[in-house]
Amino acid sequence: MTATTVPTVLTARALLLDMDGTLVNSDAVVERIWRRWAERHGLDPDEVMKVVHGRQGYASMAVLLPDRPMERNLADNARMLAEETADMEGVVAIPGAADFLASLRGLPHALVTSADVPLSTARMAAAGLALPDVRVTAESVGASKPDPEGFLKGAAELGVAPADCLVFEDSGAGIAAGRAAGMRVVGVGPRASVHRPDVLVADLTGVRVEAAEGGEIRVSLG
């Protein structure tokens, strides 16, 4: 699947936005942290990087080290979150993200991220992006993407039926979570392309959002 070149128009009643890879490019930090982790555990860093995007850290570790006790994964996850929160080098906004978020002011939308509150706050600030008022973070859920819990919570907090929500995501885990929640998914960037989202965009520069009649949101892509 390639990024859309013919304009596509979708309507929804709420937008649910992933952070890393969708609004914020944090790949430089994620690569540094997880490649170090892979080397400490004797794993192929390239194979590790295929797993970690979109998931909470403990969930990635459970996939990569299936025989390791979960309490060790959770402890490792806490340490890595602290490392990531202290490392903002190379964190930048995805092209078009600032204008996209500005266009959503006054419209129902939420951030749904696998990061916790300190990390999501720090990364959005480092990228110069405003945090949405409604946020579903790692602390808010009991299960990581690809479980749909986060997106379903976002929809519930906005008071919108899941089928009326439009998800913006970049990772396989996130796209699977959006689908499992019964939502349509706009894939953002090259990582999304192999996971067959409903629509694919290269970044957010071509995305236009406006209020429509009956409480709907009109989203123009491309």
Side-chain angles (χ1 to χ4, degrees):
M1 182 180 290
T2 57
T4 181
T5 53
V6 177
T8 298
V9 177
L10 301 173
T11 58
R13 291 189 175 275
L15 272 55
L16 302 178
L17 317 173
D18 173 54
M19 183 182 71
D20 292 302
T22 300
L23 298 173
V24 173
N25 182 346
S26 56
D27 283 0
V29 181
V30 174
E31 289 268 345
R32 282 195 294 273
I33 299 289
W34 278 99
R35 284 182 179 277
R36 286 201 299 264
W37 183 89
E39 288 164 6
R40 285 199 301 269
H41 292 87
L43 300 174
D44 181 342
D46 291 335
E47 293 304 311
V48 167
M49 294 313 303
K50 293 176 183 178
V51 172
V52 301
H53 291 291
R55 291 180 170 87
Q56 291 189 46
Y58 76 85
S60 296
M61 295 169 197
V63 172
L64 294 161
L65 297 173
D67 297 326
R68 194 165 79 150
M70 182 56 72
E71 56 266 27
R72 289 190 59 192
N73 294 340
L74 292 170
D76 246 10
N77 184 57
R79 284 192 294 269
M80 291 178 74
L81 281 171
E83 284 184 57
E84 290 185 79
T85 304
D87 184 355
M88 291 296 129
E89 186 179 348
V91 173
V92 295
I94 294 291
D99 288 342
F100 174 60
L101 286 170
S103 73
L104 289 175
R105 288 184 193 129
L107 299 175
H109 68 288
L111 187 72
V112 181
T113 175
S114 293
D116 63 4
V117 168
L119 181 57
S120 58
T121 302
R123 281 195 178 154
M124 291 289 280
L129 299 175
L131 275 166
D133 291 335
V134 179
R135 300 184 288 277
V136 179
T137 60
E139 299 93 336
S140 310
V141 297
S144 170
K145 299 172 185 175
D147 191 282
E149 181 185 0
F151 286 124
L152 292 172
K153 280 202 167 185
E157 288 198 30
L158 294 170
V160 176
D164 291 328
C165 293
L166 185 63
V167 167
F168 282 73
E169 263 285 1
D170 74 298
S171 71
I175 290 168
R179 283 212 184 101
M183 301 171 182
R184 291 160 297 155
V185 181
V186 176
V188 180
R191 192 155 47 228
S193 64
V194 298
H195 301 290
R196 303 194 63 80
D198 295 289
V199 183
L200 179 69
V201 294
D203 53 37
L204 298 171
T205 55
V207 181
R208 298 288 178 267
V209 179
E210 59 186 352
E213 292 182 2
E216 289 198 325
I217 301 171
R218 178 184 169 93
V219 183
S220 301
L221 308 160

